[in-house]
Amino acid sequence: MTEVVLEKKMRNMLVVLLFLGWAVGNLDRYLMNYAIVYIGDDLSLTNTETGMVLSSFFLGYALMQMPGGILADRFGAKRILLFAVIIWSIFTGLTAVAWTLGIMLVIRFLFGIGEGGFQPAASKIITTYYPENERSKVMSIMLSSSSIMSMLVPIISAVLLVTIGWRAIFVIAAIIGVIIVVLYWKVVPSDKVAQETDEAPRVKEIVGKLVKMPFMWSLVVSYFTIYAVNWGLNSWIPTYLSNVRNLDLLSIGGWQVIPGVIMLIAMFLSGYFIDKLDLKVSKVIGAVFALLLAVFLLLMFNATSIGLFITYQCIVMFLMTFVILLLPSFILKKIPAEYAGTAMGMANTGGQLAGFVTPTLIGMMVDAFDGSYNAAVWMLVIISIICVISILSITQRKQNVGGTA
C-alpha cells in the first residue's frame, strides 16, 4: 500500500475514529489499574500475583506487535483494526466473569493478543493517508486519548467501583468496544481499494531487513525503557498511593486528574513541535528529557507531601510524554508506508515487553522488601538513564527497506 493522501474531511474523520478506538483500548487498561485493588481483595492476591495480573495483558500485547504489523502490511490495516477491537471487546467482557487467578491471567493475556494489532495498523493508516508533515500531529491526537483516559478513569473508577462493582464496569467497556467496531466497519477506507494496484510486501525479506537495522534496535531499546517507566508508574501508582500514602480511592482519583491534564497538554504540544522541528533537534530534546526523568522520579518518590508528590508527577508525565511521542515519529517519517506496520510492530514489541516485565518485577520487589518501593524506584531511575543512551544512538537518515527509498 503506497501513500494515498485523502481529502481533508476524510482525514479528519479517520483521526477521530483512531482517537476513539485508542481511547476505548486505554479505558480497559487504566480501569484494571484501579479495579485491581478490589480484584486483589476478591481473589486474595499477593503483590506478586497482582503484578502478574497487570503484566499478563502486556505479554499478549507484546507477542502480537510484530504479527499485527506484518498482517497489516500484508492484508490491510482495516481488517487488523477490526480484528483488534472485536477480540479485545470479547475478552474485556470476559474479564467480568473471571473467578480465579489462573482464569484472570488467561483472559487478560488474550485481551492483549486482541489489542496488539491496533497500533501497528493505525500507524500504517497514518503513513498511508496523511502527508509527512501531519503524521506526528495525527499520532499525538490518537495517543492523547490515553492521556484523557488517565485523567477520566480515576474519577470513573472511584465512583463506579464502589457502586456497581468491577465486574459490571468491564461489561460496559466491552459494549463500547462493539460500537467502535461498527464505526470502523462503516467508515475506514476499504483495504481492497488501497491495495488493488500494489504487490503484497514480501514478509520474510522485509522482516529480515528490519532486524538487521541498528536504527530499529535502537528504537526497540528506547521503546522498552520509556515504556518500562510509563507502565511501571501507571500500574502501581494507585496501589502505592493507597498503601504508602494512605489515600482512599476517591482521593486518589481526584489527585490523579492533575497529572492526566498535564499529560494531555504535553501530548498535543509534543506532536506540534515534533512536526515543526528537525528530528535531530527533537532527538536531543528527547535525550535531555529522559535524563531529567530520572531526576524527577527520585524527587517524586521522596516528596514529603502528597501535593509535592503530584507536582513532581506532573513534571515526570510531561517529560515522559514527549519521549513516548518522539519515538514513533522516527518510524512515521523514516520508514516507507508499505512497511510502516511491520516496523511499528517491531519497535512497539520492546515497549510492550516492558509492560509485561515491569509490573510483575515491581510487585516482586515490593514483596521482597516488606512493602518498600525504594528498590523499584531505583530500577526505574536506571532504566531512564539507559533510555538516554538508546535515544542518542538512533540515526535520522531515511531508511531503505526492500529497495524502497
Side-chain angles (χ1 to χ4, degrees):
M1 186 188 294
T2 55
E3 298 175 18
V4 184
V5 177
L6 299 174
E7 62 179 26
K8 188 173 182 179
K9 181 179 179 181
M10 187 61 186
R11 296 204 309 270
N12 290 341
M13 189 177 298
L14 271 181
V15 74
V16 170
L17 288 178
L18 292 176
F19 173 91
L20 291 175
W22 198 238
V24 175
N26 279 278
L27 171 65
D28 177 90
R29 293 199 216 180
Y30 286 110
L31 277 175
M32 178 55 75
N33 296 337
Y34 290 86
I36 196 66
V37 177
Y38 290 84
I39 294 171
D41 290 338
D42 286 354
L43 303 183
S44 301
L45 304 180
T46 65
N47 285 317
T48 300
E49 290 169 339
T50 296
M52 291 170 61
V53 171
L54 295 171
S55 291
S56 56
F57 158 81
F58 289 101
L59 177 59
Y61 193 76
L63 291 176
M64 192 58 186
Q65 290 301 300
M66 277 291 282
I70 291 169
L71 291 170
D73 285 337
R74 178 65 180 84
F75 298 108
K78 180 175 182 175
R79 291 182 177 93
I80 305 310
L81 283 178
L82 288 170
F83 169 85
V85 184
I86 289 169
I87 297 299
W88 95 44
S89 298
I90 290 171
F91 287 101
T92 294
L94 289 176
T95 301
V97 301
W99 65 92
T100 68
L101 172 63
I103 292 172
M104 179 67 78
L105 292 176
V106 171
I107 289 173
R108 299 304 295 174
F109 170 79
L110 293 173
F111 167 78
I113 290 286
E115 191 169 327
F118 187 94
Q119 190 166 348
S123 299
K124 186 171 184 66
I125 284 177
I126 293 171
T127 55
T128 301
Y129 296 126
Y130 293 85
E132 183 176 317
N133 65 350
E134 292 183 11
R135 292 173 189 169
S136 292
K137 180 180 68 177
V138 173
M139 180 64 78
S140 73
I141 293 171
M142 185 185 88
L143 296 182
S144 70
S145 63
S146 174
S147 305
I148 292 174
M149 287 300 103
S150 73
M151 181 174 59
L152 295 179
V153 168
I155 300 172
I156 295 170
S157 300
V159 174
L160 296 184
L161 284 171
V162 298
T163 54
I164 65 175
W166 63 270
R167 296 183 188 274
I169 291 178
F170 286 107
V171 172
I172 294 171
I175 294 171
I176 297 173
V178 173
I179 296 172
I180 296 297
V181 169
V182 174
L183 291 174
Y184 280 9
W185 179 265
K186 295 288 187 181
V187 178
V188 175
S190 169
D191 296 318
K192 182 178 179 181
V193 172
Q195 291 185 347
E196 60 187 6
T197 61
D198 290 325
E199 182 180 340
R202 297 179 297 277
V203 172
K204 290 184 179 180
E205 178 184 344
I206 300 310
V207 172
K209 288 181 178 292
L210 287 173
V211 299
K212 292 178 182 178
M213 287 183 182
F215 168 86
M216 288 303 304
W217 287 108
S218 294
L219 278 174
V220 169
V221 176
S222 298
Y223 264 81
F224 182 93
T225 49
I226 197 63
Y227 276 98
V229 177
N230 179 60
W231 289 114
L233 293 177
N234 284 327
S235 298
W236 280 99
I237 276 184
T239 304
Y240 168 84
L241 292 175
S242 175
N243 294 344
V244 177
R245 299 283 176 162
N246 299 314
L247 297 182
D248 57 63
L249 201 58
L250 285 171
S251 298
I252 294 171
W255 280 112
Q256 288 303 294
V257 169
I258 302 172
V261 172
I262 297 300
M263 188 176 181
L264 180 62
I265 294 171
M267 190 69 70
F268 286 120
L269 289 177
S270 297
Y272 175 82
F273 282 108
I274 291 171
D275 270 338
K276 296 296 182 183
L277 297 173
D278 186 274
L279 271 180
K280 292 181 181 179
V281 177
S282 296
K283 185 180 82 166
V284 173
I285 295 173
V288 172
F289 278 15
L291 183 60
L292 290 173
L293 179 61
V295 174
F296 282 98
L297 280 170
L298 281 175
L299 292 173
M300 181 176 80
F301 282 99
N302 287 285
T304 55
S305 67
I306 187 62
L308 198 55
F309 179 95
I310 297 299
T311 300
Y312 289 134
Q313 187 186 359
C314 289
I315 298 173
V316 164
M317 288 298 178
F318 187 92
L319 299 170
M320 188 169 61
T321 298
F322 182 89
V323 178
I324 285 173
L325 189 59
L326 170 66
L327 297 181
S329 297
F330 285 103
I331 292 175
L332 296 176
K333 298 184 178 186
K334 300 301 179 182
I335 294 288
E338 293 91 334
Y339 319 114
T342 304
M344 186 63 76
M346 178 178 171
N348 208 27
T349 296
Q352 306 317 316
L353 283 175
F356 167 65
V357 171
T358 312
T360 296
L361 194 55
I362 290 175
M364 293 172 65
M365 287 181 170
V366 173
D367 275 339
F369 290 93
D370 298 323
S372 172
Y373 283 76
N374 289 340
V377 171
W378 277 105
M379 178 187 72
L380 296 179
V381 168
I382 293 170
I383 289 173
S384 299
I385 295 172
I386 297 172
C387 185
V388 176
I389 299 169
S390 62
I391 290 173
L392 290 175
S393 71
I394 300 171
T395 57
Q396 282 89 40
R397 68 178 182 275
K398 195 84 171 181
Q399 299 299 307
N400 192 331
V401 184
T404 304

